Amino acid sequence: MARWVRRVAILAAVVVLLGLGTVASAQLLRRHVDQAIPHADLFGPSAAPSASPSPSPSASPTPPPGAAIKGPLNILIVGLDTRETILSWLPHADTVMILHVTADLSRAYLTSLPRDLVVNVPAFAPAHFGGERTKLTNAMSFGSQVPGSSIPNPVQGFQLLAKVVSNYTGIARFDAGALLTFTGMRRLVDALGGVDIYIDQRIQSIHLQPSGRGRTACGGCANGYSGPRATYDVGFAHLSGWQALDYARQRYTAGADYTRTRHQRQLIVAILAKVHQLDVLTNPVTLANILGALGRTLIFDGRGYQPSDFGYALRKLQPENITLVGLPGTSVYGGGGQYLGESLNAVQSTYFAALRQDALAAWVPGHPNLVNTAPRRP
């Protein structure tokens, strides 16, 4: 039964139960998890057929939760950059990840789209938005606007962003989605007692001091701040919630946003690995903290299925069976050297073509330089 709860962390960045130990444990505990995680319609109305049809009544005996979910699966994970205490602040999509799970549901591939990827954002009637060619992150902002209200709706913004990602990648339909706040991610890491991660390049924080306190704003200083900086040196490290979030936020470094998205993918797998290690059922306080953090971390859409359904369906997916892929790109400039955003290299089209055919197992060996790997702790 403990194995079911030990894996509370991958779906959508990720954090939805990855495996039930037994059917009995699923039926006993699923209501706690499903009630803790908020649900919303993240994709909006769609005429596209469901890859995994919604559950329907069946004869006795009742099948395990999620037994009807079939692979391959594509899951869209979006992390918000927002000021959670300022209700009128328009959110941006700070992180956009796509998790592809193979047909047998035992392996997965996680990649990212740059927040500044230049894309065509289509017209979106709910926000009275007429369409524009702009950065991917702006799709969340444009879609979140509610006519006649100063309070944005990130769920509505996800709907527009999902359309953009579908158009760009050719993925006609996502099987699930998750909308994350990074403040919530910090709470989740702390609820887990921190995470272990290999830091692959020296990172200095723009935002925080070594103590975790904010650096001093300074108009004439580099990147707008002054004072001592939290520093993450190459090697194995145990990071608390604020450290993990700070490390994964930094993009003013070698590799810029491509480095940052790599670190965010690594953090997702580190969270999953830590959850996988914990026997949380023996510690009700830890379990309650994890579920509480999840409830403040993400909004989930299983397209008719509950988080626990995906937990059972993905019970064979282990942290070591998740391949992290970094798609390369270059900056795009307009007249006068104005920065317009990012453009992924042509290899992205072959990656997403292989994804749509569930053929990434054959694609990856031909592109070893795009696979993010790290040494194992001795």
Side-chain angles (χ1 to χ4, degrees):
M1 187 162 64
R3 289 175 57 194
W4 181 76
V5 179
R6 278 204 302 268
R7 302 179 188 173
V8 177
I10 189 181
L11 187 43
V14 193
V15 210
V16 178
L17 303 165
L18 273 190
L20 292 80
T22 66
V23 175
S25 67
Q27 294 172 340
L28 176 63
L29 295 175
R30 64 179 301 190
R31 61 187 177 88
H32 296 295
V33 176
D34 295 342
Q35 290 176 2
I37 298 176
H39 297 65
D41 181 3
L42 294 177
F43 296 100
S46 173
S50 172
S52 297
S54 297
S56 57
S58 58
S60 297
T62 302
I69 295 177
K70 307 298 181 185
L73 302 172
N74 292 307
I75 299 165
L76 180 59
I77 301 162
V78 177
L80 284 184
D81 176 12
T82 184
R83 305 296 186 269
E84 295 175 53
T85 59
I86 305 176
L87 296 181
S88 61
W89 189 277
L90 278 178
H92 285 71
D94 199 49
T95 299
V96 179
M97 297 184 188
I98 299 169
L99 179 71
H100 175 78
V101 185
T102 57
D104 65 359
L105 304 180
S106 68
R107 298 196 61 85
Y109 300 84
L110 184 65
T111 194
S112 308
L113 297 179
R115 71 188 299 277
D116 289 344
L117 182 67
V118 179
V119 292
N120 292 317
V121 181
F124 188 60
H128 291 182
F129 174 66
E132 185 176 319
R133 185 164 178 80
T134 183
K135 297 175 183 177
L136 178 62
T137 184
N138 294 333
M140 171 62 71
S141 301
F142 291 139
S144 294
Q145 297 181 73
V146 178
S149 173
S150 63
I151 308 301
N153 182 354
V155 169
Q156 185 177 282
F158 189 108
Q159 294 175 2
L160 177 57
L161 184 115
K163 295 178 187 298
V164 175
V165 175
S166 289
N167 292 341
Y168 183 83
T169 63
I171 300 172
R173 184 185 190 278
F174 287 98
D175 300 286
L179 181 60
L180 301 159
T181 68
F182 284 98
T183 299
M185 185 70 80
R186 182 188 67 211
R187 295 189 186 106
L188 177 60
V189 172
D190 283 335
L192 294 171
V195 295
D196 298 309
I197 196 168
Y198 183 81
I199 296 173
D200 56 16
Q201 70 181 64
R202 189 172 190 263
I203 297 294
Q204 286 192 298
S205 176
I206 298 299
H207 312 92
L208 300 181
Q209 302 178 39
S211 65
R213 296 175 62 87
R215 298 178 70 214
T216 302
C218 174
C221 302
N223 302 122
Y225 297 93
S226 66
R229 304 166 66 175
T231 301
Y232 309 94
D233 290 313
V234 173
F236 292 101
H238 181 80
L239 302 182
S240 65
W242 74 263
Q243 291 172 318
L245 178 59
D246 186 49
Y247 172 70
R249 289 181 65 193
Q250 305 307 315
R251 63 181 175 130
Y252 294 104
T253 184
D257 199 46
Y258 297 95
T259 292
R260 181 174 68 160
T261 57
R262 181 178 73 247
H263 292 167
Q264 290 170 346
R265 292 190 296 273
Q266 292 168 346
L267 175 58
I268 294 303
V269 174
I271 290 173
L272 177 59
K274 183 60 178 289
V275 173
H276 186 66
Q277 295 170 4
L278 294 178
D279 186 7
V280 297
L281 283 185
T282 64
N283 190 331
V285 174
T286 300
L287 175 58
N289 288 341
I290 290 174
L291 293 179
L294 283 175
R296 294 188 295 270
T297 297
L298 82 112
I299 298 172
F300 175 71
D301 184 354
R303 310 301 290 260
Y305 291 102
Q306 297 294 318
S308 59
D309 296 331
F310 277 89
Y312 180 81
L314 301 179
R315 65 194 181 280
K316 295 186 292 184
L317 185 58
Q318 304 293 316
E320 60 269 22
N321 291 337
I322 301 175
T323 300
L324 308 182
V325 178
L327 298 174
T330 54
S331 297
V332 179
Y333 295 91
Q338 179 187 9
Y339 174 70
L340 299 179
E342 299 295 320
S343 175
L344 290 179
N345 295 355
V347 71
Q348 62 86 13
S349 64
T350 68
Y351 176 85
F352 288 114
L355 179 151
R356 294 191 301 270
Q357 299 165 16
D358 194 28
L360 287 175
W363 185 92
V364 164
H367 303 82
N369 59 314
L370 302 185
V371 177
N372 309 144
T373 59
R376 291 183 179 275
R377 185 182 288 274

